[in-house]
Amino acid sequence: MKFNRPFLLLLILPLLAFTGLHKYYISVTQVEYVEEQKSVQIITRIFIDDFEKLLQERYDESIILAVDDELKIANTYIGQYLREKIKIKINGEAVNLTFIGKEYDGDIVRCYIEAPGVEHIKSFEITNEVLFDIFEEQQNIVKTKINSKQKSFILTTGKAKALLKFI
């Protein structure tokens, strides 16, 4: 047994050393229906370096996020991209999303999006393909709070859409 333990450690140690090299591609999107304001409010949290890479590849190589002299056009590109990749249908009808703005928190960018003028929700469908176009392993966690009910799910490149029904 004493011989096997050191041998086992020699096998496992190299595997553990490489786990730090693996990068996870995850975003978290919170969706809340605020009935008093007749508004669906969305906060999407994305790693700055991943989002920056996407914006550089897709729009402008000179974009650098979270710096004092950030290009003003970055907000335009961010809003455009999020409207392309996050789609919402309420009661079977597509909803226009408005990009409100963003703020940085450590290595995360928080993007604020809103769908105003929502009277009631019987069904809610969301498609979230954020960063799927550059990271095959990307997973988008979506947490919802709609009509006092909370639900969470993970969207991936093979399953980028979820539907909730409220009866």
Side-chain angles (χ1 to χ4, degrees), residues 107-159:
D107 59 351
I108 301 287
V109 58
R110 270 188 258 157
C111 300
Y112 299 95
I113 307 165
E114 183 180 29
V118 178
E119 294 291 328
H120 63 281
I121 298 178
K122 291 182 183 176
S123 69
F124 180 87
E125 181 180 303
I126 185 168
T127 302
N128 185 340
E129 298 176 319
V130 169
L131 300 181
F132 286 177
D133 35 356
I134 63 166
F135 300 117
E136 194 174 304
E137 311 86 14
Q138 178 71 27
Q139 296 183 346
N140 295 328
I141 299 168
V142 178
K143 299 176 180 184
T144 63
K145 184 177 178 186
I146 300 172
N147 297 340
S148 300
K149 295 182 181 175
Q150 295 185 17
K151 181 78 175 169
S152 297
F153 33 86
I154 298 175
L155 302 179
T156 60
T157 52
K159 185 183 178 290

Side-chain angles (χ1 to χ4, degrees), residues 16-151:
L16 294 175
F18 289 108
T19 58
L21 297 177
H22 179 64
K23 175 126 166 100
Y24 295 96
Y25 300 101
I26 295 173
S27 79
V28 178
T29 300
Q30 290 179 258
V31 178
E32 184 173 354
Y33 175 51
V34 182
E35 192 172 2
E36 306 80 45
Q37 297 179 13
K38 298 181 190 306
S39 170
V40 174
Q41 299 175 358
I42 303 166
I43 301 171
T44 299
R45 291 173 177 84
I46 305 168
F47 284 107
I48 294 170
D49 59 339
D50 296 341
F51 207 21
E52 182 177 86
K53 178 179 178 179
L54 176 122
L55 295 171
Q56 289 171 346
E57 286 183 16
R58 193 168 231 238
Y59 301 109
D60 186 339
E61 291 178 356
S62 65
I63 290 178
I64 299 174
L65 299 177
V67 293
D68 291 336
D69 59 343
E70 181 178 293
L71 295 177
K72 293 188 186 304
I73 193 76
N75 275 348
T76 302
Y77 291 144
I78 290 170
Q80 179 180 335
Y81 181 78
L82 292 175
R83 282 189 298 275
E84 288 175 16
K85 297 300 178 179
I86 298 176
K87 303 284 185 189
I88 290 179
K89 288 185 180 179
I90 295 176
N91 306 328
E93 299 290 323
V95 173
N96 290 323
L97 298 176
T98 303
F99 175 67
I100 305 297
K102 68 177 180 341
E103 64 182 350
Y104 299 111
D105 183 15
D107 59 351
I108 301 287
V109 58
R110 270 188 258 157
C111 300
Y112 299 95
I113 307 165
E114 183 180 29
V118 178
E119 294 291 328
H120 63 281
I121 298 178
K122 291 182 183 176
S123 69
F124 180 87
E125 181 180 303
I126 185 168
T127 302
N128 185 340
E129 298 176 319
V130 169
L131 300 181
F132 286 177
D133 35 356
I134 63 166
F135 300 117
E136 194 174 304
E137 311 86 14
Q138 178 71 27
Q139 296 183 346
N140 295 328
I141 299 168
V142 178
K143 299 176 180 184
T144 63
K145 184 177 178 186
I146 300 172
N147 297 340
S148 300
K149 295 182 181 175
Q150 295 185 17
K151 181 78 175 169

